[in-house]
Amino acid sequence: MGVSTRLKGRFRKFLQRPGTTVDLGPFRKRLDAIEAREESLQELDDGALTAAAQDATEFVEICAVGREAARRAIEQRPYDVQLLGVMALLSDEVAEMATGEGKTLTAAVAAYGHVRMGHGPVHVLTVNDYLARRDAEWMEPVYTLLGLTVGWVTEASTHDERREAYLKDVTYVSVSEGGFDYLRDQLVTDVEERVQRELATAIVDEADSILIDEARVPMVLAGSVATESDPVHEAADLVRELTAKDYEVADDGRSVALTDNGLKKVEEKLGGIDLYADDQVAHLSAINVALHAQTLLDRDVDYIVRNGTVELVDEMRGRVAQRRRWPDGLQAAVEAKEGLSATAEGEVLDTITVQAYIALYQHVCGMTATAVHVGEQLREYFKLEVAVIPPNTPNVREDEPDRIYSAHDMRDEALVEEIKLAHEKGRPVLIGTLDVKASELLAKQLAAAGVPSHVLNAKNDAEEASIIAEAGAKGAVTVSTQMAGRGVDIRLGGSDEADRDEVVELGGLFVIGSGRHDSRRVDDQLRGRAGRQGDPGGSVFFVSLEDELVTRHAGDALPASPRMDMDGVVHDDQVEYAVEHAQRVAEGVNHEIHRNTWRYSVVIEQQRVALAERRERLLTSEIAAIMLLERSSEKAKETDEDVLSEAARAIALFHLDRLWAEHLAELNEVREGVHLRALGKLDPLDEFHRAAVPAFQKLLLEIESRTIATFEETDLSDGWQPENADIVRPSATWTYLVHDNPFGSELDRLIASVGRRLTGRGE
């Protein structure tokens, strides 16, 4: 009996297993179709494995070969449920697989399948460089046995290393590095300078995080400009001198404005100017962003300062958001607040959102432990369906109801006591905190109570793997910011499982959340660290009615006098509902932000695609030279054919890139100003489109006219020389991600300040 025949029998039994509630109809249909065929793989030996794999075109046959290769190469035999995950990925779906179910190996088998089905090259998109390299090196023996090549790209990779990695059958790369490479490839003037090949298939790890949480994050390619202004340091010094009476923070905590007293102070410091005069917009903007940086962005919560730089913290993962920065001068304002030199933003040469970059792939699939909660969004933005893969072993983790306290101090005291009791028994404890500051405070409180702990947050993320690997050791106490995307299993008894039996007797890993996150998915990722592969475990969340999530989104839903005991523990159904309601509201707000951002970006992405096609023709054909011959004077006809081709291509590409950068800057200004038209009861989105479409049509015409004008003015007597045409590309380029601005655009902040002043706080 062949490998795939045995595997089909196992699948049949699995599909009939009691308690399998997921819709597995598509899998049954695939099995029926495959069983109708008379072909089957025979038992494979090492020499015949690769040859047989070339003929394995059906899903189950791919699974059979992949399973055998994994067993022989790394001594890991995929579970049946992992192969169901492979089938979902081969069907361009998102597989929801619980933490510890082996998504890394599932992705490797699926990548092999996509290549063999002609969907290569395959890019496995990860959340960070560490996972990209680790997973590629880990799975390399499997790919080698299957006859495939594998590579990886990190931020430190050179141009040649990137090109070599992308030439492999399978490339592991973080989504940001992949996007940056795409942007750089869009500015090359020679096809040989490209590093990426066609964007065929993307397997997205932590799919909900990348496709939803980071989808609206723009990736930016910037270039140097002649001068860089730095107006914010003076503003930061002025704002630093203000007191609480000089400004007022809005109830939602998302905006702040000067009071009359504060306005008077600032204007006097600036020499008695009228800050709201038409010629003082620069000063007003600088004061606004400095005020936001000073009052609404907290060190060790929203960002950390490390090695003399401001590093943003990803609120979903609690780790440093690599190369991310705030827009609208806010980044420079935070740097000024911390006494650091402002980093240059430069001129934006090109930008693309994570969502738009993923959409460029012909095939997209992904894996995550928490996809169902965002199933509608995955369908709306990517046309992706979710396949829920049951766990290999039933989950026996005990999830306790939330313990809700009336105040922070009562919650924290109870939290420390709970951890201390578990630690004294020897039970390993993993505590998830909401930010860096909270993790460090809790570690100090535990130390004062005589409980040693390991802290994992954005400040020591380099030690991530070793800390997580030992979080299941007997007596271990680990305090971490959010666990989503950490990428390392927690084994009971430690990495070597030396004390596994004792830890099992104690109840397994105990996961505690010190407050609810804005997203249920992040909380579920934390819970999922316990109960791996049928292990015992437990989880509970400690919540305070003073938590920002509750006060911001459910303050009105809380009863005036909730029922509670002497220890401050709340026992009230209405309060429990309010906490859940607050989380749903927060998720709704984030979804609405995503939808609005996406609506504005649609027309820009359509224009990008059209311009990219035009650029490709300019780069790979003689269309620029033909255009000059048809539209220019006798000069083109009299120019040497090779010189004409080289000059026409270089000039046309320069002006296309130059005009696209100008177009992006213009659209940014339009988008910031278009909201003013809402005051006239006009739809801002419609107004944005009315401005964006004609601007793009003008751009296309301008490319030709500028190309012709530059060609006519260029001295070609000594052949083609870029300096003769005054074609100067940026002397330096760099990349960064723009952090979602939590306070709206600079114009939004300006309007808010003016509005407050006109309603009684100024004139």
Side-chain angles (χ1 to χ4, degrees):
M1 185 182 297
V3 173
S4 103
T5 302
R6 296 201 311 269
L7 185 58
K8 285 184 287 185
R10 293 177 62 87
F11 272 139
R12 284 294 183 196
K13 292 180 181 179
F14 179 84
L15 296 176
Q16 297 168 3
R17 191 175 73 176
T20 302
T21 58
V22 63
D23 179 15
L24 295 173
F27 298 130
R28 292 191 176 92
K29 291 179 181 178
R30 291 168 195 146
L31 286 175
D32 290 340
I34 293 170
E35 287 182 341
R37 297 178 53 183
E38 295 181 356
E39 298 178 12
S40 66
L41 291 176
Q42 302 300 315
E43 291 287 353
L44 303 173
D45 56 35
D46 288 326
L49 182 60
T50 301
Q54 293 174 351
D55 297 325
T57 58
E58 300 290 348
F59 288 176
V60 171
E61 294 173 341
I62 289 171
C63 289
V65 175
R67 167 181 273 179
E68 186 67 9
R71 182 186 68 81
R72 298 184 187 189
I74 59 176
E75 298 183 353
Q76 290 188 13
R77 188 173 186 273
Y79 302 120
D80 292 351
V81 292
Q82 286 177 278
L83 299 185
L84 285 177
V86 171
M87 296 173 77
L89 297 181
L90 294 176
S91 302
D92 292 348
E93 297 172 340
V94 173
E96 177 171 290
M97 301 175 66
T99 302
E101 291 294 308
K103 291 188 283 292
T104 303
L105 183 53
T106 297
V109 178
Y112 153 71
H114 274 293
V115 172
R116 293 309 179 198
M117 292 164 64
H119 300 164
V122 174
H123 294 172
V124 181
L125 302 180
T126 66
V127 295
N128 58 45
D129 289 350
Y130 164 74
L131 292 178
R133 178 165 185 168
R134 185 206 70 172
D135 291 355
E137 291 179 332
W138 185 8
M139 294 294 113
E140 186 171 15
V142 179
Y143 289 118
T144 300
L145 187 54
L146 289 167
L148 303 184
T149 56
V150 62
W152 66 84
V153 173
T154 68
E155 183 180 348
S157 299
T158 65
H159 180 274
D160 291 341
E161 289 171 341
R162 290 170 188 268
R163 181 189 298 165
E164 183 179 355
Y166 285 119
L167 285 173
K168 307 293 186 181
D169 296 309
V170 182
T171 306
Y172 286 74
V173 58
S174 70
V175 65
S176 58
E177 284 303 312
F180 291 145
D181 285 333
Y182 171 78
L183 290 176
R184 283 187 285 257
D185 279 355
Q186 293 305 299
L187 288 181
V188 301
T189 57
D190 186 336
V191 175
E192 296 301 318
E193 296 175 4
R194 287 175 176 164
V195 296
Q196 288 185 340
R197 294 186 287 163
E198 66 272 26
L199 301 180
T201 297
I203 299 178
V204 186
D205 191 15
E206 299 296 340
D208 59 332
S209 179
I210 291 176
L211 299 181
I212 302 301
D213 299 332
E214 296 188 4
R216 62 182 184 266
V217 175
M219 296 177 284
V220 176
L221 177 64
S224 56
V225 292
T227 60
E228 292 287 351
S229 60
D230 178 24
V232 297
H233 274 74
E234 179 184 8
D237 292 337
L238 292 175
V239 167
R240 199 175 288 117
E241 298 175 5
L242 299 178
T243 66
K245 296 180 180 179
D246 298 327
Y247 55 84
E248 186 177 71
V249 178
D251 293 338
D252 62 4
R254 296 174 69 86
S255 62
V256 61
L258 293 170
T259 62
D260 284 342
N261 191 58
L263 179 63
K264 183 179 179 180
K265 277 187 179 182
V266 170
E267 289 181 337
E268 288 177 353
K269 292 284 186 182
L270 291 173
I273 67 171
D274 178 1
L275 200 57
Y276 288 91
D278 291 342
D279 59 348
Q280 298 298 330
V281 172
H283 273 126
L284 179 58
S285 298
I287 291 295
N288 275 327
V289 294
L291 189 60
H292 276 83
Q294 185 69 33
T295 60
L296 299 180
L297 292 177
D298 295 326
R299 182 169 176 168
D300 292 341
V301 175
D302 302 294
Y303 65 93
I304 64 172
V305 177
R306 183 168 59 180
N307 299 325
T309 61
V310 169
E311 298 183 319
L312 278 62
V313 175
D314 187 326
E315 63 179 10
M316 290 293 177
R317 299 194 201 91
R319 68 175 70 185
V320 167
Q322 297 292 338
R323 291 199 289 178
R324 194 171 299 183
R325 58 185 296 140
W326 286 292
D328 301 329
L330 196 55
Q331 178 77 18
V334 175
E335 291 166 338
K337 168 187 173 181
E338 298 294 342
L340 305 172
S341 299
T343 55
E345 287 192 17
E347 178 187 41
V348 174
L349 302 178
D350 202 357
T351 178
I352 188 172
T353 62
V354 170
Q355 180 170 336
Y357 171 63
I358 297 293
L360 295 173
Y361 285 87
Q362 300 171 35
H363 298 273
V364 178
C365 56
M367 314 166 294
T368 181
T370 47
V372 170
H373 290 315
V374 291
E376 292 184 6
Q377 296 179 58
L378 290 170
R379 189 177 300 112
E380 177 180 358
Y381 300 124
F382 299 97
K383 296 180 174 59
L384 287 171
E385 298 295 333
V386 175
V388 180
I389 309 301
N392 179 58
T393 305
N395 189 344
V396 297
R397 185 184 64 240
E398 297 181 4
D399 297 326
E400 301 179 30
D402 290 356
R403 300 184 194 177
I404 305 175
Y405 294 80
S406 59
H408 280 322
D409 55 351
M410 293 180 177
R411 188 270 308 277
D412 293 347
E413 183 179 343
L415 177 61
V416 171
E417 185 61 26
E418 184 74 18
I419 297 169
K420 183 177 180 181
L421 290 174
H423 176 66
E424 289 174 348
K425 297 176 183 177
R427 186 179 187 184
V429 184
L430 171 66
I431 308 100
T433 61
L434 298 180
D435 52 57
V436 175
K437 184 181 292 184
S439 67
E440 295 182 339
L441 175 60
L442 179 57
K444 290 179 180 178
Q445 293 172 332
L446 290 172
V451 179
S453 64
H454 295 284
V455 179
L456 174 61
N457 58 35
K459 291 185 177 181
N460 64 341
D461 50 8
E463 305 164 32
E464 174 179 316
S466 59
I467 293 176
I468 296 176
E470 301 304 328
K474 183 180 178 181
V477 176
T478 308
V479 180
S480 174
T481 47
Q482 299 306 321
M483 294 297 295
R486 293 294 185 186
V488 179
D489 285 339
I490 298 177
R491 299 177 182 273
L492 299 187
S495 57
D496 58 2
E497 301 185 81
D499 300 316
R500 175 179 172 80
D501 292 342
E502 291 184 65
V503 173
V504 168
E505 287 294 323
L506 293 168
L509 180 66
F510 189 24
V511 170
I512 302 177
S514 63
R516 285 283 189 175
H517 193 272
D518 282 358
S519 169
R520 287 173 294 173
R521 290 180 291 110
V522 176
D523 290 342
D524 289 346
Q525 289 271 6
L526 177 61
R527 282 193 196 275
R529 291 294 171 165
R532 172 188 172 276
Q533 287 293 334
D535 287 342
S539 72
V540 65
F541 280 80
F542 282 65
V543 180
S544 166
L545 297 185
E546 294 179 347
D547 286 347
E548 184 179 2
L549 173 69
V550 179
T551 58
R552 176 176 293 184
H553 298 298
D556 296 339
L558 293 173
S561 301
R563 297 191 306 275
M564 65 182 72
D565 58 27
M566 296 296 293
D567 295 326
V569 182
V570 177
H571 302 281
D572 193 308
D573 292 343
Q574 187 175 347
V575 171
E576 293 177 6
Y577 170 80
V579 172
E580 294 178 0
H581 174 72
Q583 199 168 46
R584 288 195 296 271
V585 171
E587 290 176 332
V589 169
N590 288 329
H591 185 194
E592 192 60 27
I593 292 173
H594 184 175
R595 177 179 283 116
N596 285 335
T597 304
W598 174 69
R599 290 168 67 208
Y600 277 96
S601 67
V602 167
V603 66
I604 299 176
E605 296 312 322
Q606 291 174 341
Q607 293 175 354
R608 179 195 314 286
V609 170
L611 201 70
E613 292 175 353
R614 185 186 184 102
R615 194 181 197 284
E616 183 69 13
R617 291 197 299 272
L618 288 173
L619 185 64
T620 59
S621 72
E622 302 300 324
I623 188 172
I626 294 173
M627 183 269 293
L628 286 175
L629 288 169
E630 292 178 346
R631 302 283 299 277
S632 186
S633 64
E634 291 298 316
K635 181 177 181 179
K637 299 177 182 178
E638 296 172 355
T639 303
D640 177 79
E641 185 176 326
D642 291 336
V643 173
L644 174 63
S645 175
E646 188 177 2
R649 180 180 295 110
I651 294 171
L653 288 174
F654 170 79
H655 285 303
L656 183 148
D657 296 337
R658 176 74 260 154
L659 285 164
W660 178 245
E662 294 175 3
H663 182 66
L664 290 174
E666 179 181 352
L667 291 188
N668 185 58
E669 293 180 2
V670 169
R671 183 170 175 179
E672 290 203 354
V674 77
H675 296 288
L676 285 174
R677 305 184 193 183
L679 301 176
K681 298 184 179 181
L682 298 174
D683 186 334
L685 183 61
D686 289 343
E687 295 302 304
F688 177 75
H689 287 168
R690 286 193 181 98
V693 174
F696 185 69
Q697 296 299 327
K698 180 182 176 182
L699 175 153
L700 296 177
L701 296 174
E702 189 70 11
I703 293 173
E704 288 193 10
S705 62
R706 288 195 187 184
T707 299
I708 294 172
T710 300
F711 178 78
E712 290 292 336
E713 297 168 0
T714 301
D715 180 8
L716 298 175
S717 58
D718 294 327
W720 163 245
Q721 300 294 333
E723 53 270 21
N724 292 346
D726 195 25
I727 292 180
V728 181
R729 290 184 175 270
S731 57
T733 61
W734 59 94
T735 54
Y736 60 88
L737 293 101
V738 179
H739 186 276
D740 289 328
N741 192 339
F743 315 113
S745 70
E746 186 172 326
L747 184 63
D748 294 334
R749 297 192 294 273
L750 211 64
I751 294 171
S753 297
V754 174
R756 286 171 180 271
R757 190 174 186 223
L758 295 179
T759 54
R761 295 188 178 91
E763 295 179 347

